[in-house]
């Protein structure tokens, strides 16, 4: 995906900030990540809107993760979108830190660095366990709730991690290749026959930009299909999960600096995200200025 194509063309304030921040971060190299590999993956993302990253975690790691997540899967979905035969975990970081290595996997961060502005945010984090007999989820693209007409740059990006093997039978995510370039299309006009299942072994990741149409496939197998998913958004966009309320400060302190930033303990300088006129990360280091003032 060419960054240039997604640069705001009007020379506005926002554009100037974006340019300055991109320039400041252009020297950033994610530890252990080959920039050539990222270039090649981004070529695929540019062409199709998504890319599969095989086996970033071991099958054993996924089995351990599954054991951790199963007791937290509390309720069935409440509508067609959540899936009436699908169980989800929300507010994940408040409940377990076991998804953190996925959220901040270096290769994922290296891709996000190319798609979003620095200090991008975590928008939501979930586990999704699709039970046998579940129907296909309604088609959607993840940044559809930002009311900005398409075609346009993505406002977010997402990763779906296969905790179980993803197969055509058990509900592998279905993606519409090239749909990130579409204008505003009613979902009913999309031919389901053109959707491609993201078949991948456990521990693999499907990375896609927020403009890609996709959905969970129907689970026609006799076993559940577990995934985790992290969505990220531009630092100027509102997060879907309200992390300042969903994740306590004590819990955020247990996270890495990167995840703290993604939860919202960061700023898009100079004016977005401040607390008491300064970087909110101070709240995790010292005393809360709101507490200080309210104690007077
Ligand atoms: O579980 C999947 O494969 C996709 C889920 C999804 O796209 C969603 O719930 O937004």
């Amino acid at each position: 995906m060419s960054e240039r194509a997604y640069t705001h063309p009007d020379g506005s304030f926002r554009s100037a900030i974006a340019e300055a921040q991109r320039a400041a971060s252009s020297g950033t190299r994610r530890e252990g990540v080959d920039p050539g590999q990222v270039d090649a993956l981004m070529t695929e993302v540019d062409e199709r809107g998504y890319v599969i990253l095989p086996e970033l975690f071991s099958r054993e790691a996924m089995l351990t993760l599954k054991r951790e997540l199963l007791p937290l899967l509390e309720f069935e979905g409440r509508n067609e979108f959540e899936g009436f035969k699908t169980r989800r975990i929300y507010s994940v970081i408040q409940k377990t830190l076991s998804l953190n290595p996925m959220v901040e996997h270096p290769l994922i961060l290296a891709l996000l660095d190319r798609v979003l502005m620095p200090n991008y945010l975590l928008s939501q984090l979930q586990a999704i366990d699709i039970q046998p007999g579940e129907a296909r989820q309604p088609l959607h693209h993840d940044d559809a709730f930002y009311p900005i007409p398409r075609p346009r740059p993505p406002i977010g990006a997402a990763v779906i991690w296969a905790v179980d093997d993803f197969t055509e039978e058990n509900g592998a995510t279905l993606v519409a290749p090239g749909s990130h370039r579409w204008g505003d299309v009613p979902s009913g006009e999309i031919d389901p026959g053109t959707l491609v299942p993201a078949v991948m072994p456990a521990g693999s990741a499907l990375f896609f930009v927020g403009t890609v149409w996709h959905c969970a496939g129907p689970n026609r197998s006799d076993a559940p299909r577990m995934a985790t998913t992290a969505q990220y958004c531009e630092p100027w966009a509102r997060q879907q999960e309200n992390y300042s309320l969903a994740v306590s400060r004590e819990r955020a302190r247990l996270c890495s600096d990167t995840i703290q930033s993604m939860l919202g303990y960061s700023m898009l300088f100079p004016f977005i995200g401040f607390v008491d006129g300064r970087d909110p990360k101070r709240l995790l280091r010292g005393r809360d200025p709101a507490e200080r003032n309210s104690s007077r």
Side-chain angles (χ1 to χ4, degrees):
M1 178 165 309
S2 114
E3 287 183 12
R4 192 163 292 281
Y6 288 151
T7 302
H8 205 273
D10 65 4
S12 67
F13 183 58
R14 178 188 139 192
S15 173
I17 293 173
E19 282 303 323
Q21 292 205 320
R22 278 191 206 287
S25 70
S26 59
T28 308
R29 274 179 64 122
R30 290 289 170 187
E31 210 178 321
V33 179
D34 169 14
Q37 182 193 11
V38 181
D39 289 345
L41 296 172
M42 283 311 298
T43 302
E44 276 194 62
V45 175
D46 195 15
E47 280 170 14
R48 294 187 300 170
Y50 68 92
V51 66
I52 290 178
L53 311 166
E55 296 175 309
L56 297 184
F57 289 102
S58 69
R59 190 169 289 278
E60 292 68 39
M62 292 302 97
L63 284 173
T64 307
L65 178 64
K66 200 169 170 170
R67 276 195 291 273
E68 169 102 18
L69 296 180
L70 278 173
L72 300 174
L73 286 159
E74 282 164 5
F75 54 88
E76 306 287 332
R78 297 157 290 188
N79 51 51
E80 227 191 347
F81 187 85
E82 282 187 326
F84 292 113
K85 292 184 181 164
T86 297
R87 296 180 299 164
R88 291 173 185 252
I89 308 173
Y90 295 104
S91 290
V92 170
I93 289 179
Q94 188 62 24
K95 298 170 185 173
T96 173
L97 301 176
S98 57
L99 266 54
N100 286 21
M102 292 171 152
V103 173
E104 57 180 343
H105 189 286
L107 187 53
I108 301 297
L109 297 183
L111 291 169
L112 291 168
D113 289 346
R114 302 284 185 100
V115 176
L116 302 173
M117 288 169 66
N119 285 349
Y120 45 79
L121 299 166
L122 185 65
S123 184
Q124 62 157 297
L125 181 62
Q126 288 183 41
I128 305 178
D129 197 43
I130 302 181
Q131 304 299 305
E134 179 63 281
R136 175 166 72 75
Q137 188 187 33
L139 268 165
H140 60 281
H141 63 96
D142 285 337
D143 63 9
F145 40 79
Y146 298 113
I148 305 175
R150 298 176 53 136
R152 56 162 168 75
I155 297 165
V159 185
I160 295 181
W161 292 91
V163 179
D164 290 310
D165 289 332
F166 269 28
T167 67
E168 246 181 276
E169 290 69 40
N170 76 359
T173 312
L174 299 168
V175 278
S179 54
H180 60 312
R181 297 187 188 283
W182 295 353
D184 286 311
V185 186
S187 61
E189 286 180 15
I190 300 169
D191 175 4
T194 60
L195 301 174
V196 175
V199 172
M200 54 186 176
S204 307
L206 167 68
F207 177 93
F208 54 101
V209 291
T211 38
V212 167
W213 283 86
H214 67 281
C215 60
N219 188 347
R220 293 185 289 253
S221 78
D222 55 10
R225 186 230 68 176
M226 189 186 280
T228 66
T229 178
Q231 289 188 31
Y232 308 82
C233 66
E234 291 284 20
W236 45 265
R238 185 167 187 197
Q239 294 150 290
Q240 294 170 75
E241 285 196 281
N242 190 333
Y243 286 121
S244 51
L245 299 176
V247 176
S248 69
R249 211 162 283 171
E250 291 67 40
R251 200 72 185 159
R253 282 195 182 98
L254 301 177
C255 296
S256 68
D257 192 70
T258 301
I259 290 186
Q260 288 171 355
S261 292
M262 285 187 192
L263 287 172
Y265 294 93
S266 57
M267 281 184 67
L268 173 58
F269 286 99
F271 294 132
I272 297 183
F274 62 80
V275 171
D276 206 21
R278 284 184 275 177
D279 191 319
K281 200 156 270 180
R282 289 181 323 123
L283 301 178
L284 299 178
R285 310 280 181 266
R287 206 159 155 233
D288 183 340
E291 283 171 20
R292 189 189 59 215
N293 292 336
S294 62
S295 66
R296 281 194 185 150

